[in-house]
Amino acid sequence: MNYDHAFHAGNFADVLKHACLCLCLVHLAKKDKPFLVLDTHGGQGRFDLAGPQAQRTQEAAAGIGRLLAHPGPCPESLAPYLKAVRALGGTGTGLRAYPGSPLLARTLMRAQDRLVVAELHPVHARALAALLGRHPRTRIEPRDGYAVLKALLPPPERRGLVLIDPPFEQRDEFQAMARALKGALRRWASGTYLVWYPLKEEAAVAAFLADLAPTLPCPALVATLRVRPVTAGERLAGTGLMILNPPHGLATALPSLLPWLAETLGEGGAGSWSLESLAPAAAAPRGDAPA
Ligand SMILES: C[S@@+](CC[C@H](N)C(=O)[O-])C[C@H]1O[C@@H](n2cnc3c(N)ncnc32)[C@H](O)[C@@H]1O
């Protein structure tokens, strides 16, 4: 386990993932009823942008930094994300820290909502516990995120969101993620799921989507964002996000948010995006249903 998100915090992939996470949470918080957020791969929770990792890659500068420095207005759909980032990261002389998904989530959740965060790396799990462990209705699980997913669903709240954001250090991560997701959907088909993956090997992504799509019991969107053309084996050039049961606000925001992000974050005009809708398997065309 060598992955350290401190090298990548606030990059273009985080921008898309976290902006979508915030829109989902805004939607869930519209009703008084409590909800659960389960973050299966939580990371450290907060990242020092002056630290050696962030300074070495400058990925935050090319990601969230560009949004905050943008001269024109940003899309309205980015408002909850940008507001939380500014509040948590400080804006005086620029952003000093970048909030990870558990901190963003807890910030947009209410007192009645429950947050569970799994993080396998002991040092990262301790950082998370120090940051959020004392918060009521928040639990840090220092163990495998897929095991926590299996143990916790369906949640008693019957409302909520699962974020699956693994580091993709293992060659079989796509298969492990698909297995975990299929099991989770069998137990809880009505939750919102945000599933992150890198666009590095297009064939692996295509196999993952082809495996999952025919089994999906719910509507899904697949969004991609590339900041330059994807070349196998290179540093991350593109990101994918699968959203199961996307809330209305997110589904309506993405068609304008994605092109704006591609233009703003793309390198030398080379940004691109896509948005695909997957119909639930049960909604086969008329005539295909068994008699
Ligand atoms: C991409 S980072 C998470 C970033 C975080 N979700 C965010 O958006 O701020 C992936 C994290 O998963 C952790 N990890 C690796 N294997 C894991 C596992 N099997 N279960 C839970 N966490 C794991 C890594 O230590 C790393 O901190």
Side-chain angles (χ1 to χ4, degrees), residues 3 5 17-18 40-43 100-101 119-121 124 144-145 165 167:
Y3 182 87
H5 198 63
K17 171 180 64 188
H18 291 158
T40 59
H41 297 73
S101 52
E119 169 55 55
L120 192 58
H121 195 299
H124 302 170
D144 175 43
D165 183 19

Side-chain angles (χ1 to χ4, degrees), residues 1-9 44 47 53 121 124 167 169:
M1 282 208 310
N2 293 319
Y3 182 87
D4 182 354
H5 198 63
F7 287 101
H8 312 294
Q44 292 93 313
F47 302 93
Q53 295 98 326
H121 195 299
H124 302 170
E169 282 183 311

Side-chain angles (χ1 to χ4, degrees), residues 9 11 59 64 111 139 168 190 208 212 214 219 225 239 264 277:
N11 70 3
E59 288 191 24
I64 183 63
R139 199 166 82 226
F168 281 84
S190 61
F208 168 69
L212 265 181
L225 176 66
T239 176
T264 306
S277 180

Side-chain angles (χ1 to χ4, degrees), residues 143-169:
R143 60 185 179 121
D144 175 43
Y146 296 134
V148 176
L149 184 68
K150 192 169 182 184
L152 255 63
L153 301 188
E157 293 92 343
R158 300 277 164 173
R159 308 180 64 224
L161 175 149
V162 175
L163 171 63
I164 303 180
D165 183 19
F168 281 84
E169 282 183 311

Side-chain angles (χ1 to χ4, degrees), residues 163-221:
L163 171 63
I164 303 180
D165 183 19
F168 281 84
E169 282 183 311
Q170 311 292 337
R171 279 213 64 79
D172 66 349
E173 190 73 63
F174 272 116
Q175 289 94 323
M177 195 158 80
R179 238 184 348 263
L181 199 48
K182 285 179 192 173
L185 286 166
R186 274 195 294 275
R187 290 187 294 281
W188 192 39
S190 61
T192 291
Y193 294 78
L194 288 181
V195 182
W196 184 88
Y197 53 85
L199 293 184
K200 279 192 168 171
E201 296 171 33
E202 302 266 7
V205 175
F208 168 69
L209 295 176
D211 176 27
L212 265 181
T215 70
L216 289 179
C218 57
L221 291 174

